[in-house]
Amino acid sequence: MSTLIDTSMGSLQIATSMDRSCTPSPPNSPNLHNESCNIAPLTPSQSPPSEHRTMRRAQFFVVVAIDFGTTSSGYAFSFSKDPEAIHMMRKWEGGDPGVAHQKTPTSLLLTPDKSFHSFGYTARDYFHDLDPEEARDWLYLEKFKMKIHSTSDLTMKTELEAVNGKKVQALVVFAHALRFFKEHAVQELRDQCPSLNEKEAIRWVITVPAIWKQPAKQFMREAAYLAGLVSPENPEQLLIALEPEAASIYCRKLRLHQLIDLSSKAFFNGYSTDRTIDSSFRQAREQLRRSRHSRTFLVETGMGELWSEMQAGDRYIVADCGGGTVDLTVHQIEQPQGTLKELYKASGGPYGAVGVDLAFEKMLCQIFGEDFIQTFKVKRPAAWVDLMIAFEARKRTAAPQRSNHLNISLPFSFIDFFRKHKGQNVETALRKSRYLNYVKWSSQGMLRMSSEAMNDLFQPTICQIVQHIEDLMKKPEVKGIKYLFLVGGFAESPMLQNAVQTAFSEVCRVIIPQDVGLTILKGAVLFGLDPTIVRVRRSPLTYGVGVLNKFVEGKHPKEKLLVKEGKNWCTDIFDKFVSVDQSVALGDIVQRSYCPARLGQRKIIINIYCSSTDDVVYITDPGVRKCGTINLELPDINESNAKLGRREIKASMQFGDTEIKVTAMDVKTSKTVRAAIDFLSN
């Protein structure tokens, strides 16, 4: 088997694609981690310091951003020649009364043979109108984005489950959704610019939670490749935007009348009064009302008024409260250039609005029986979707201190199926449940939920959000927060607004943008126009590779000793590339040099390890796991190159972007070697 050596830190422990068989280790050598074999060590030397590379902005005719949400999704675009104008997607057909239609539900419908049928409102309405028996064969998926975050062993073969229990490959599902938005956006752009060359003119941006790990980000990129948004040969044409970062980028452009200060808001009859930061709100609200008839939003050419007032060093938190996750990031605006600096690694968790839906489902299970609810979901999937739509409509109207009941319509098939399945009617089940004083039955076929019952559904999720923000504010790096920006679809909820206002209005100013549900989408467009706006980020994990270093008696454990060609080496050394929560500027690179041991070698695979702590010494330490591989593809060796002798490959890894990137160069020929990091094959 071929070997690889690191000329900066010693010998890397690697695997290559040329030969998977291993030469037996010497008698006194340990079992090497991850099947490292045939090591040919080199005397270690000091690792070169991180270098900085100037970022070049690629020029595109138009930027299209897709906000791929848990509950709803949409796209927006802006032309590079007119970056102050952000155009929202065309209005969607269908929709729910009282809900803005500038997004569509993240709902996908596949035919019984698993081919694409429809997405969004169209998928939901078509599935609703199917005959109940026929609907059981169709695959309807919703809120499936959460699966990517919750799956610890995410791979290209991970599967999702439709409401009828049938499974389909997750990558195919995401590709269908992205392809839908691509075709919708390209058609709209071509209507405006018939000569548009989509393969070269469009930069695509896809939003993901900042707390997503590298495998999930790579998964979205692979889905975009499969959907045909861009080609793998042109990866720079696709950007992965972090959702709270996008919101932060957009908020910095807002004028005062576009921001509501929750710290100064009072609640009347459960609903908040609208008092904004300045006195011109009435006029601004009228302008906003008129602008809703247009799909174009204008943003400031520079920084907005609030940001212009901020002092150098002022800190703020962006709390992105979405359908599936709550994502927190801490930023500081750098004056006078207006770039953003991340002060603490992104944090959060699965505390989104879906948690309220799950609490409602849990309540139904306790009233009607878990066995019945699970059977009903499989046997009458369309009716179950109808029930959750009805709950969603009432959930949006829930507000603190609300006194009147909320009516939720039960589908007739639910009532009929329960009678046949349980031998009793719905009203009897309600009378027997422990929710008797909170949930009653209406003769008109509705569940009448008291305001206390609805509040109870919200509280577990909201308490987790408030607790997480409190814990974040206690961090030394986050002391002195001046503003808390509340964004995301869940931030539209008066229940959440009131809880955050109560908890933090004495500590900092709690601010929410107008059209809060579109903040991330608009910010993603701005990020696509200028990806350098976030200048400094924090590494969420410690990353490194395994190397051999000179064995030192008394320092290194004897079980790590490897004797090779008369020399003593310590195996499994964790060579850090970047440490957890380390501040990394955009364009900063870490370089390592590698040499293949055999001239005919065409591919090198270097294992990458990660840890949530910084005190890592060996790749076998607790909490250290293999998280990816660097693939270096070497061109064929011709006679002229063979005369150059052993080849040195200089690999550069960049950690300051939203994704970890790697580039490589054949030093003696100065030719670029194709390099990629794979986080999905471990």
Side-chain angles (χ1 to χ4, degrees), residues 247 417 527:
F417 195 78
F527 176 72

Side-chain angles (χ1 to χ4, degrees), residues 616-674:
V616 182
V617 180
Y618 304 102
I619 60 177
T620 53
D621 286 351
V624 177
R625 64 182 181 88
K626 179 187 170 189
C627 63
T629 54
I630 303 176
N631 296 290
L632 301 179
E633 294 188 12
L634 310 180
D636 292 342
I637 303 297
N638 54 38
E639 291 185 6
S640 59
N641 284 338
K643 296 177 181 178
L644 296 175
R646 176 169 287 183
R647 305 164 73 190
E648 178 185 354
I649 307 300
K650 182 175 288 187
S652 303
M653 296 185 70
Q654 181 179 313
F655 291 89
D657 211 333
T658 59
E659 300 173 274
I660 297 176
K661 298 178 181 178
V662 60
T663 56
M665 181 184 70
D666 190 334
V667 174
K668 291 186 177 180
T669 63
S670 298
K671 290 184 178 180
T672 300
V673 177
R674 185 173 179 180

